Amino acid sequence: MGTTYFFSLIGALLSDSYLGRYLTCIIFQVVFIIGLVILSLSTHFLLLKPHGCGKIGLLCEPHSPIQVAILYISIYLIALGNGAADPALATFGADQFDEEEPKEQRSKTLFYSYFYVALNLGSLVAETVLAYIETTGNWVLGFWICAGSACFSFLLLLSATLRYRHFKPCGNPVSRFAQVIVSSLRKIKFQLPTNGEGLYDFQEGDDTSVRRMHHTNGLEFFDRAAIVSVEEKSTLLDKGQKPNPWHLCTVTQVEEVKCILRLLPVWLCTIFSSVVFIQMLSLFVEQGAAMDRTFFKFQIPPASMTAFDIISTSAFIMLFDILIVPLYVKVMKRDPKPPNELQRIGIGLAITIIALIVAGFVERKRLKFANVNGKETSSLSIFWQIPQYVLVGVAEAFVYVAQMNFFTSQIPDGLKSLGMGLSMSSSALGSYVANTILTVVMKITSSHGQPGWVSPNLNEGHLDRFFFLSAFLTAIDLILYIVCAKRYKGIELEKREETSKDEVVI
């Protein structure tokens, strides 16, 4: 999972720099399909039944290095195709709406909500139907269903090709950022102008899809990159030549760097919210495996309990505008003031703390029932996990949708995919942070012959303490997040009609 979301940054950079969003979606969707087809074929012919299996008294021969290599190649192709296409696909869908039209801006905001709902509904099918198919041993069928679904979605994307709205890629953002830094260092002895007066501001060409950015106070060091020296003024006015971008940058280019730097503290704080969601996929499932999973005569797979998370996330997103807001208006007799994206992320972080505390108390109750019967599996029903899954689902609805909206709205037009990549890559780092925290805690708590808090046999450990520790760390992260959110300064963009004329300010 971490690798998949890490590839989202690569896809975002390629999308904004060279390929454009549509072409990025097409190329990496093909890579995704190739990976799934290779996995399905290799599983059917090579991996599912190794050579020598089925003979009484004989062990199966191990897989050859080539077979193992094919398996890993297919897995990484799937991760690359899925991860790299996701940010481009989300921003490409949002590109079909004009945010300067009130109705379309509302639709654009709703698009990210329903995009996340679609992802969750796909996960719901995977974690119920596909999980059941593969639990019964039909791995090949499960993989081919995935490959067929990917092909169908690819054809669906192609079907409306002639109707899409496209935006041109704006060049490599890494080189643009480097130009600002180098130019600032070259002019480190220059005196900064007051309120950005006299800084170089020029919009080249008639492409109004990329809007000019207003000068903002703060991070003044980078303003030096847009100071026009005497030599550069002569070059611009007398000779009419374009300036060297490694010597002189536009205000918009400088503001792009400022924008990314201002986003980083908020982005770092959102990483810890992903830690909780990663724990749900691992530790919540382990906890459920050690509980009574009987429902009438059916044994509930512990991983299927994540369906409550998916359903609660999707239901909350869909019912928020349809039911919750109208009900609020009817009861309070006034229109609500909805929280902005930063506030919604904060609310989601607060709910994750409650979810972890609830999970900790459920684990304590599970341990009491396990100690009574003396078995490794507690007699406490797995349905006691429903509240913690529902709380995590509501937290996801607040955090992830708000992240998508925030990171794409608070970033320049030419870097929208990078903004979405930042939002998704927080999940990648969250998975690595979660693994690091678990490793450190186990190393400390398993010393002197102790089984550790997250022991293979949960009855011998203290998973409840780990949940409480995670809640404490998330609370610290929430405090830091509130500080960063209050200090955050939003982006300032001109309207497109204001950028339709070229202008030089010296």
Side-chain angles (χ1 to χ4, degrees):
M1 175 174 281
T3 304
T4 300
Y5 284 118
F6 172 76
F7 282 134
S8 66
L9 277 179
I10 297 175
L13 287 171
L14 289 173
S15 170
D16 289 335
S17 304
Y18 307 110
L19 300 177
R21 288 155 198 164
Y22 175 74
L23 198 55
T24 301
C25 294
I26 295 298
I27 291 173
F28 286 105
Q29 188 72 11
V30 171
V31 172
F32 183 53
I33 292 171
I34 292 172
L36 285 169
V37 170
I38 293 175
L39 179 63
S40 303
L41 290 173
S42 61
T43 302
H44 180 75
F45 292 107
L46 303 174
L47 303 176
L48 198 59
K49 188 177 179 181
H51 183 70
C53 283
K55 297 179 181 179
I56 299 175
L58 295 176
L59 295 175
C60 297
E61 296 180 10
H63 295 294
S64 68
I66 294 178
Q67 293 174 341
V68 174
I70 291 173
L71 172 65
Y72 278 103
I73 288 171
S74 66
I75 290 174
Y76 278 100
L77 283 175
I78 293 170
L80 175 62
N82 186 23
D86 268 356
L89 184 62
T91 48
F92 181 65
D95 283 345
Q96 309 312 307
F97 305 95
D98 185 357
E99 63 183 23
E100 292 186 359
E101 293 290 334
K103 290 184 179 179
E104 291 200 30
Q105 184 185 9
R106 177 63 180 159
S107 299
K108 186 173 185 175
T109 303
L110 288 175
F111 170 79
Y112 287 122
S113 298
Y114 289 110
F115 179 81
Y116 193 69
V117 169
L119 292 179
N120 274 274
L121 293 179
S123 299
L124 179 62
V125 174
E127 293 175 12
T128 52
V129 177
L130 287 182
Y132 176 78
I133 290 174
E134 291 169 357
T135 301
T136 58
N138 294 312
W139 288 91
V140 176
L141 175 61
F143 291 151
W144 277 117
I145 290 175
C146 293
S149 300
C151 291
F152 176 75
S153 65
F154 179 65
L155 294 175
L156 203 62
L157 178 66
L158 288 175
S159 64
T161 297
L162 298 178
R163 300 176 61 88
Y164 291 134
R165 176 189 294 173
H166 299 269
F167 290 95
K168 296 178 182 178
C170 299
N172 190 348
V174 176
S175 64
R176 289 171 63 83
F177 295 169
Q179 288 167 359
V180 173
I181 295 171
V182 171
S183 182
S184 300
L185 291 173
R186 286 178 182 275
K187 298 175 180 177
I188 196 169
K189 295 183 179 180
F190 281 46
Q191 185 176 0
L192 288 169
T194 306
N195 297 324
E197 295 178 359
L199 296 179
Y200 178 66
D201 196 5
F202 175 64
Q203 182 80 4
E204 182 180 356
D206 57 357
D207 182 11
T208 59
S209 64
V210 178
R211 291 168 290 177
R212 183 183 291 136
M213 299 176 66
H214 293 291
H215 173 267
T216 58
N217 295 323
L219 299 173
E220 288 87 357
F221 170 80
F222 297 103
D223 288 341
R224 289 182 171 85
I227 295 177
V228 184
S229 65
V230 176
E231 296 83 2
E232 289 162 346
K233 186 178 293 186
S234 173
T235 301
L236 289 171
L237 295 180
D238 299 340
K239 301 180 181 179
Q241 297 177 357
K242 292 182 180 179
N244 185 339
W246 294 95
H247 292 261
L248 178 63
C249 304
T250 64
V251 170
T252 297
Q253 195 173 342
V254 171
E255 290 300 319
E256 287 176 354
V257 176
K258 289 184 180 182
C259 175
I260 297 297
L261 292 177
R262 286 171 179 150
L263 283 173
L264 288 180
V266 176
W267 175 70
L268 289 171
C269 290
T270 60
I271 290 173
F272 216 89
S273 65
S274 300
V275 171
V276 180
F277 304 136
I278 297 301
Q279 288 181 357
M280 178 197 69
L281 296 174
S282 55
L283 296 182
F284 282 16
V285 174
E286 285 191 37
Q287 184 187 43
M291 301 174 77
D292 181 12
R293 299 183 285 117
T294 305
F295 182 66
F296 294 104
K297 295 183 179 181
F298 181 71
Q299 288 291 313
I300 300 173
S304 295
M305 291 296 290
T306 56
F308 289 100
D309 160 71
I310 296 169
I311 292 171
S312 61
T313 302
S314 304
F316 185 85
I317 291 173
M318 291 187 291
L319 294 178
F320 184 80
D321 291 300
I322 299 173
L323 181 64
I324 297 175
V325 172
L327 186 63
Y328 178 91
V329 173
K330 187 175 181 179
V331 173
M332 302 301 294
K333 307 297 182 183
R334 60 186 177 87
D335 290 335
K337 184 181 179 182
N340 59 37
E341 284 83 2
L342 288 174
Q343 291 170 336
R344 285 158 59 192
I345 293 173
I347 292 171
L349 283 170
I351 296 174
T352 59
I353 297 171
I354 299 172
L356 287 168
I357 293 173
V358 169
F361 282 115
V362 169
E363 176 61 16
R364 285 194 171 182
K365 193 171 185 66
R366 188 199 68 79
L367 285 171
K368 287 182 181 179
F369 278 79
N371 292 333
V372 169
N373 59 28
K375 297 180 181 178
E376 185 173 339
T377 302
S378 173
S379 60
L380 186 68
S381 173
I382 194 173
F383 290 109
W384 277 81
Q385 284 191 308
I386 292 177
Q388 66 200 55
Y389 275 110
V390 171
L391 285 169
V392 169
V394 175
E396 277 189 64
F398 275 105
V399 173
Y400 279 151
V401 176
Q403 272 186 225
M404 289 183 185
N405 277 302
F406 178 73
F407 283 106
T408 52
S409 64
Q410 296 296 312
I411 205 162
D413 290 325
L415 302 176
K416 296 293 185 184
S417 296
L418 179 59
M420 183 60 68
L422 282 174
S423 174
M424 294 181 172
S425 64
S426 66
S427 298
L429 290 176
S431 65
Y432 298 137
V433 171
N435 184 60
T436 302
I437 293 173
L438 181 60
T439 302
V440 171
V441 168
M442 280 300 296
K443 189 171 183 64
I444 294 173
T445 58
S446 61
S447 58
H448 307 294
Q450 296 296 318
W453 285 3
V454 190
S455 171
N457 182 354
L458 293 184
N459 296 338
E460 298 176 355
H462 286 284
L463 185 59
D464 55 328
R465 295 179 185 176
F466 185 81
F467 285 142
F468 292 142
L469 174 64
S470 298
F472 175 73
L473 293 175
T474 307
I476 295 175
D477 179 66
L478 176 59
I479 294 171
L480 293 173
Y481 172 78
I482 292 172
V483 173
C484 293
K486 285 189 173 182
R487 293 172 61 89
Y488 178 76
K489 189 170 185 178
I491 191 173
E492 296 182 18
L493 291 168
E494 288 185 352
K495 292 185 178 180
R496 286 196 171 91
E497 56 264 26
E498 296 176 18
T499 61
S500 59
K501 295 181 180 182
D502 294 343
E503 180 183 351
V504 178
V505 179
I506 298 177

